[in-house]
């Protein structure tokens, strides 16, 4: 059985696509056959983050409409053998997504032997976002420690609990995970940023990880390499931890406590 | 802001303000967005029944569903009109 995971948030710009790219890569590196689908029809960007933008020929809407088959549309990742990207259409709008169409694509992916299917949700609570979460077995809710993001995350949790297939059919509910991103331990310590505990207390779902705010994320997207591949990067390690916890391994939280820079570091700078 | 903090430039601790505001708005929105569909109907029918016996208006009956951990509480609040003093 393929597991369908939606990466969602409500608010835009919080790190959904960065997270989708890194977690799908992490699962593939662990040996699972993984597909990652961009649901942001009209504003696709997962292809850029994964560095496969020049290899896009067919997209999700072509497959939904039967203009291409899955094998033609799936793009093999340049780093991992068992990771495939299904890009969104750049020319259509989100109304082109139908529930039947999406369901068929997911079923077909399952028949191709995929273990995990990640759905990278667009921002908002409109059709694209609802389609991305409709068939989810698990949800990774990405939230920044900031008021508008937390409120929107709560809103999207409400939608998960009412509009997902699992909710409608009264099956076991979608398994929810909270991922706090762009976290700055120093600002939390200074009392100017919500702590991950605050966010978790407000949203009341289990925490799967905390990703520190870092310049590395921009470096990664500049190059079209998922952040989890970066060498010696806190962000990469934090995402590897998230993947491990997703696979039920026990990993203590890292990068959540502020460490004062030592004298040498202060004198000579450095990252 | 006190004189000391003015001179030493200590920043305001705004995170606690954010948390308090969020907990209020989230509790409120959970209440309005996640109520089951039958609540408005229930409220309307209750008004119809009660107004047969007592003179109450549509705003005098409040029906709320609250969730505390795993326990749901249906709260019906009826404000009866003031009795004229005998």
């Amino acid at each position: 059985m393929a597991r369908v995971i939606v990466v969602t948030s409500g608010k835009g710009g919080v790190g959904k696509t960065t997270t989708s790219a890194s977690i799908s890569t992490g699962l593939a590196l662990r040996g699972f056959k993984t597909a990652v689908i961009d649901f942001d029809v009209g504003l696709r960007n997962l292809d850029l983050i994964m560095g496969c933008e020049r290899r896009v020929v067919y997209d999700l809407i072509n497959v939904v409409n039967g203009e291409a088959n899955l094998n033609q549309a799936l793009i093999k990742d340049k780093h991992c053998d068992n990771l495939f990207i299904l890009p969104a259409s750049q020319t259509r709008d989100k109304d082109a997504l139908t529930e039947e169409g999406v369901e068929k694509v997911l079923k077909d992916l399952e028949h191709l032997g995929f273990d995990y299917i990640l759905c990278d949700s667009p921002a908002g609570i409109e059709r694209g976002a609802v389609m991305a979460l409709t068939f989810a077995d698990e949800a990774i809710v990405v939230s920044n420690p900031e008021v508008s993001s937390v409120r929107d995350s709560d809103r999207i949790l409400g939608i998960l609990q009412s509009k997902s297939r699992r909710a409608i059919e009264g099956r076991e509910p979608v398994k929810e995970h909270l991922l706090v991103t762009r976290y700055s331990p120093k600002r939390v310590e200074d009392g100017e940023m919500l702590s991950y505990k605050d966010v978790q207390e407000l949203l009341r779902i289990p925490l799967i990880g905390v990703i520190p705010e870092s310049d590395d994320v921009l470096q990664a997207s500049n190059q079209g390499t998922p952040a989890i591949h970066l060498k010696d990067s806190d962000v990469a390690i934090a995402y590897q931890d998230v993947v491990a916890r997703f696979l039920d391994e026990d990993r203590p939280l890292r990068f959540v406590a502020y460490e004062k820079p030592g004298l040498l570091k202060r004198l000579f700078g450095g990252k | 802001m006190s004189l000391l903090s003015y001179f030493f430039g200590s920043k305001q601790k705004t995170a606690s303000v954010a948390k308090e505001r969020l907990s209020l708005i989230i509790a409120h929105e959970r209440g309005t967005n996640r109520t089951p569909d039958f609540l408005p109907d229930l409220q309307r029918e209750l008004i119809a029944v009660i107004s047969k016996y007592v003179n109450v208006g549509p705003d005098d009956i409040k029906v709320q569903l609250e969730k505390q951990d795993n326990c749901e509480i249906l709260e019906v609040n009826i404000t009866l009109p003031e009795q004229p003093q005998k």
Side-chain angles (χ1 to χ4, degrees), chain A residues 92-151:
Chain A
R92 315 286 179 86
D93 61 54
K94 293 188 173 68
D95 295 331
L97 283 174
T98 61
E99 208 167 296
E100 299 74 36
V102 173
E103 188 170 21
K104 183 165 187 305
V105 170
L106 295 174
K107 282 251 166 68
D108 290 349
L109 283 170
E110 188 169 353
H111 289 147
L112 288 176
F114 280 92
D115 299 304
Y116 288 106
I117 304 166
L118 272 86
C119 302
D120 181 22
S121 172
I125 51 172
E126 314 303 327
R127 189 175 187 82
V130 174
M131 281 300 122
L133 64 78
T134 298
F135 300 98
D137 299 307
E138 306 196 33
I140 296 175
V141 177
V142 183
S143 194
N144 292 165
E146 178 269 329
V147 286
S148 49
S149 173
V150 174
R151 182 199 212 172

Side-chain angles (χ1 to χ4, degrees), chain A:
Chain A
M1 275 295 276
R3 253 345 239 173
V4 180
I5 308 154
V6 62
V7 178
T8 187
S9 71
K11 192 177 181 297
V14 297
K16 282 183 296 297
T17 303
T18 302
T19 297
S20 300
S22 282
I23 293 184
S24 57
T25 299
L27 288 169
L29 289 172
R30 291 296 196 97
F32 296 102
K33 189 172 178 187
T34 307
V36 55
I37 309 177
D38 190 349
F39 274 79
D40 206 345
V41 178
L43 291 169
R44 79 164 169 234
N45 277 317
L46 181 69
D47 53 338
L48 271 178
I49 301 300
M50 301 289 297
C52 65
E53 69 277 8
R54 287 170 43 169
R55 289 189 286 146
V56 176
V57 182
Y58 295 108
D59 57 55
L60 174 63
I61 303 297
N62 291 138
V63 179
V64 165
N65 291 345
E67 297 152 4
N69 66 39
L70 256 182
N71 282 315
Q72 291 173 299
L74 284 172
I75 304 170
K76 194 171 153 302
D77 182 62
K78 57 184 179 186
H79 299 286
C80 309
D81 282 339
N82 44 1
L83 177 59
F84 293 83
I85 300 121
L86 184 54
S89 169
Q90 189 68 324
T91 50
R92 315 286 179 86
D93 61 54
K94 293 188 173 68
D95 295 331
L97 283 174
T98 61
E99 208 167 296
E100 299 74 36
V102 173
E103 188 170 21
K104 183 165 187 305
V105 170
L106 295 174
K107 282 251 166 68
D108 290 349
L109 283 170
E110 188 169 353
H111 289 147
L112 288 176
F114 280 92
D115 299 304
Y116 288 106
I117 304 166
L118 272 86
C119 302
D120 181 22
S121 172
I125 51 172
E126 314 303 327
R127 189 175 187 82
V130 174
M131 281 300 122
L133 64 78
T134 298
F135 300 98
D137 299 307
E138 306 196 33
I140 296 175
V141 177
V142 183
S143 194
N144 292 165
E146 178 269 329
V147 286
S148 49
S149 173
V150 174
R151 182 199 212 172
D152 292 358
S153 295
D154 190 65
R155 190 86 172 83
I156 210 78
L157 282 169
I159 292 170
L160 264 170
Q161 289 156 15
S162 61
K163 295 198 177 165
S164 62
R165 270 288 169 91
R166 281 177 173 267
I168 290 169
E169 291 172 1
R171 283 185 287 150
E172 191 187 333
V174 177
K175 191 172 175 191
E176 298 155 344
H177 309 274
L178 170 64
L179 181 66
V180 178
T181 57
R182 308 198 66 168
Y183 195 72
S184 169
K186 179 174 190 309
R187 302 193 74 185
V188 172
E189 188 167 291
D190 290 346
E192 42 177 288
M193 182 181 267
L194 290 166
S195 73
Y196 69 88
K197 286 179 187 151
D198 291 337
V199 179
Q200 193 190 2
E201 211 176 291
L202 288 160
L203 295 176
R204 295 188 223 161
I205 60 171
L207 183 77
I208 196 166
V210 177
I211 309 295
E213 168 82 72
S214 169
D215 298 344
D216 298 347
V217 174
L218 181 63
Q219 304 273 3
S221 73
N222 284 344
Q223 307 169 67
T225 305
I228 197 168
H229 283 303
L230 295 175
K231 294 270 176 288
D232 307 317
S233 163
D234 291 357
V235 169
I237 297 167
Y239 271 121
Q240 286 160 17
D241 283 353
V242 170
V243 172
R245 287 187 204 107
F246 186 83
L247 298 171
D248 288 329
E249 293 168 24
D250 210 17
R251 292 278 173 101
L253 277 180
R254 288 192 250 193
F255 318 116
V256 289
Y258 176 58
E259 287 162 38
K260 280 210 164 118
L263 184 65
L264 278 175
K265 206 167 185 179
R266 271 193 283 170
L267 282 177
F268 298 106
K271 266 198 340 164

Side-chain angles (χ1 to χ4, degrees), chain B residues 1 5 14 25 29-30 33 35 39 46 48 55 71-72 80:
Chain B
M1 199 186 274
S5 65
T14 51
I25 193 71
E29 287 178 344
R30 278 190 186 162
N33 291 331
T35 47
L39 281 193
L46 277 174
N55 184 22
C71 173
E72 285 190 5
L80 294 176

